[in-house]
Amino acid sequence: MNCTNEPKDGKIHIVATTGIIGDILSSSLDSHVVIDVLMKPGVDPHLYKATAGDVTLLLNADIIIHNGLHLEGKMGEVLHKLSEKKVVIAMSEQLPKHRLRYIDGAYDPHLWFDVELWSLALEGILKQIQQNYPKVIQDNADRINQYVEKLHQLDHHVDSMISLIPKERRILITAHDAFGYFGNAYDIQVIGLQGMSTLSDFGMNDLMRIGDLIIDKKVRSIFVEKSIAPRSMEALLHNVQTRGGTVRIGGNLFADALDTPGTKAGTYIGMFEQNVTTIQKALQ
Ligand SMILES: [Zn+2]
């Protein structure tokens, strides 16, 4: 190991912005590292601002890992400044540009909803860590391999669960446009009421347009998201019902944040499994 990179307590301090990033890192790395996560469970990353405590953690970190593509929209300046003196790595930078969704002039940051893509991004991050701290990767090799294999199994599981839904019923309507990669990867049409960031609002036109589609395609269920207030989907429900359509809230999906640690959806894999079960049950 490079002695200039040797931290004082013998551990490499990694700071992840979101819980989803923190979880895949701690699921693959254990020895020699301390992993801290800035955003707490249920927090909306699009709206999150770094606190004074976060800045201290970031300044003391050896490596900072964020999602990129403006997911952490309000942390852009902080991350940019830190990148001048620290190793700051984005998950999105590990992926070839042609694998990213580019919609209405912006890249879609919700990469984790394609398991294969997210796994690829993780492997890219681990390679970068290896360049700076080879012993970390060497001593965690078994753990990394086991986790990557679990992600591979998850990818297959999601595929087979979605394929249980008849093709004409594979329409996933959610509060914001977080599931685009999910739709591409697992062959399901995806519609978000709000745009790719929760900063954008929705209008009467969006309600009417999606309401028409629900009535026309006889969509059975729409979904609320855990980190977003349910009022938008309730407005959509109301729009359809007042026009004689029947649709219900099919469940609560985790989009941009995990549940509290120790619960099923407190990990990336558990969150994904829970979402897919909810979607499959409500649409099949
Ligand atoms: Zn989002």
Side-chain angles (χ1 to χ4, degrees):
M1 191 183 287
N2 182 339
C3 59
T4 56
N5 285 335
E6 195 81 53
K8 287 180 190 70
D9 64 355
K11 302 253 186 190
I12 314 300
H13 287 248
I14 300 176
V15 173
T17 52
T18 73
I20 299 176
I21 298 172
D23 176 66
I24 62 161
L25 291 173
S26 52
S27 299
S28 36
L29 302 175
D30 185 24
S31 310
H32 312 302
V33 297
V34 175
I35 297 164
D36 285 304
V37 175
L38 300 185
M39 298 179 203
K40 299 289 167 270
V43 165
D44 180 346
H46 301 285
L47 307 178
Y48 187 79
K49 291 187 186 122
T51 64
D54 291 345
V55 174
T56 308
L57 271 178
L58 289 164
L59 287 171
N60 291 323
D62 298 297
I63 304 174
I64 296 160
I65 300 174
H66 64 112
N67 187 84
L69 305 178
H70 305 290
L71 178 79
E72 303 93 338
K74 295 186 185 288
M75 289 187 65
E77 204 176 319
V78 175
L79 291 169
H80 178 73
K81 275 197 183 139
L82 286 160
S83 70
E84 287 164 6
K85 27 187 165 162
K86 288 192 175 283
V87 182
V88 178
I89 321 173
M91 298 296 290
S92 59
E93 284 163 8
Q94 314 310 312
L95 300 167
K97 274 264 157 66
H98 74 270
R99 297 290 304 267
L100 305 177
R101 291 180 78 235
Y102 188 75
I103 312 284
D104 297 333
Y107 283 104
D108 180 351
H110 304 88
L111 309 163
W112 56 92
F113 277 124
D114 175 340
V115 180
E116 194 211 331
L117 213 56
W118 197 234
S119 182
L120 213 62
L122 172 65
E123 287 175 46
I125 294 287
L126 296 174
K127 272 190 194 131
Q128 300 236 24
I129 294 176
Q130 186 167 28
Q131 284 170 11
N132 293 287
Y133 308 100
K135 195 165 165 53
V136 170
I137 301 302
Q138 200 182 317
D139 289 356
N140 285 287
D142 287 347
R143 191 177 172 89
I144 292 168
N145 289 338
Q146 280 162 16
Y147 189 64
V148 169
E149 177 52 31
K150 277 188 195 164
L151 292 180
H152 191 62
Q153 285 166 8
L154 174 67
D155 196 36
H156 282 297
H157 169 71
V158 177
D159 236 351
S160 60
M161 289 289 279
I162 298 300
S163 69
L164 294 174
I165 306 167
K167 187 95 178 160
E168 70 277 9
R169 282 192 221 137
R170 277 187 226 160
I171 303 175
L172 178 65
I173 301 173
T174 63
H176 89 299
D177 211 352
F179 292 86
Y181 289 99
F182 183 85
N184 287 355
Y186 307 108
D187 193 21
I188 179 166
Q189 188 187 345
V190 167
I191 296 156
L193 184 54
Q194 284 171 275
M196 283 196 305
S197 168
T198 54
L199 282 170
S200 62
D201 212 347
F202 63 96
M204 197 57 198
N205 284 346
D206 301 306
L207 285 179
M208 289 307 287
R209 177 176 52 84
I210 301 173
D212 284 347
L213 181 133
I214 291 171
I215 293 166
D216 183 40
K217 303 270 185 190
K218 299 186 175 64
V219 175
R220 295 175 175 196
S221 305
I222 57 176
F223 300 86
V224 290
E225 290 174 30
K226 285 273 188 188
S227 47
I228 300 181
R231 67 171 182 94
S232 59
M233 299 317 273
E234 284 163 7
L236 183 57
L237 196 71
H238 185 70
N239 176 288
V240 173
Q241 285 170 345
T242 53
R243 294 197 280 152
T246 49
V247 70
R248 60 195 176 95
I249 302 286
N252 221 323
L253 300 180
F254 290 88
D256 293 359
L258 299 177
D259 205 351
T260 41
T263 60
K264 164 84 176 164
T267 66
Y268 170 68
I269 290 178
M271 175 275 281
F272 224 113
E273 287 173 346
Q274 189 164 318
N275 273 354
V276 168
T277 303
T278 304
I279 293 167
Q280 188 260 328
K281 276 189 184 153
L283 294 182
Q284 197 180 2

